[in-house]
Amino acid sequence: MEYLTPITPQICDTDFSGNVNHVAYQRWFDHARISFYAQLFPKMQTIPHGLVTLKSTVEYYRFVNVLDTLVIHSRVTHIGTKSFELTQELRRGEELCAKSVMVFCALDFNLHKSEPLDDFKRNVLQKFL
């Protein structure tokens, strides 16, 4: 299952040539991820406690501009014992414009050590696998 987040480019997102600057893509992926978390964990007031980012990558495939209609497709692509992977695709219609892959790990902040994902988080994440 995927979670969809519409994106509306702003003039301030563009560079001198009229294309969206790469910094905006990361901001959009962050916005979509926070919206995705709100869908996953609706009763939480903040980002799920106990998760830290291990890896974040963005690949750029197509230029986008301020007039484009864009959507970010977010989905969980892997669940491990202590971590999970979130893949997000920025699309203009069916065309893939950019892709973000992030890996998050469950962490015991008191011990500063990774820990297994609890059953609650694992069950919620599996709905989007």
Side-chain angles (χ1 to χ4, degrees):
M1 179 155 67
E2 291 185 321
Y3 181 75
L4 305 180
T5 306
I7 299 296
T8 304
Q10 305 294 312
I11 294 292
C12 62
D13 294 330
T14 61
D15 58 22
F16 66 92
S17 65
N19 292 312
V20 170
N21 187 284
H22 70 280
V23 175
Y25 289 69
Q26 187 61 55
R27 191 176 69 250
W28 296 342
F29 285 129
D30 288 347
H31 168 74
R33 183 169 34 91
I34 299 302
S35 297
F36 183 60
Y37 280 153
Q39 176 71 25
L40 287 174
F41 307 104
K43 293 183 180 178
M44 292 187 162
Q45 298 297 315
T46 61
I47 294 173
H49 179 70
L51 295 177
V52 294
T53 304
L54 293 180
K55 177 182 171 185
S56 177
T57 61
V58 178
E59 296 177 30
Y60 305 93
Y61 302 111
R62 301 279 184 264
F63 289 112
V64 298
N65 66 53
V66 74
L67 299 177
D68 288 332
T69 301
L70 304 169
V71 176
I72 292 180
H73 299 245
S74 301
R75 67 187 181 284
V76 175
T77 46
H78 176 75
I79 301 173
T81 304
K82 298 179 178 184
S83 64
F84 69 94
E85 181 179 84
L86 176 66
T87 298
Q88 296 175 288
E89 295 178 344
L90 177 67
R91 295 189 169 272
R92 177 177 42 219
E94 294 298 315
E95 183 179 30
L96 178 61
C97 299
K99 179 179 175 181
S100 170
V101 178
M102 298 186 76
V103 177
F104 300 92
C105 180
L107 183 75
D108 182 321
F109 285 100
N110 294 322
L111 300 175
H112 299 281
K113 293 180 77 173
S114 62
E115 64 183 4
L117 288 166
D118 61 47
D119 289 339
F120 173 73
K121 286 186 184 95
R122 180 176 298 285
N123 290 336
V124 170
L125 291 167
Q126 285 178 339
K127 295 176 187 175
F128 287 88
L129 187 60

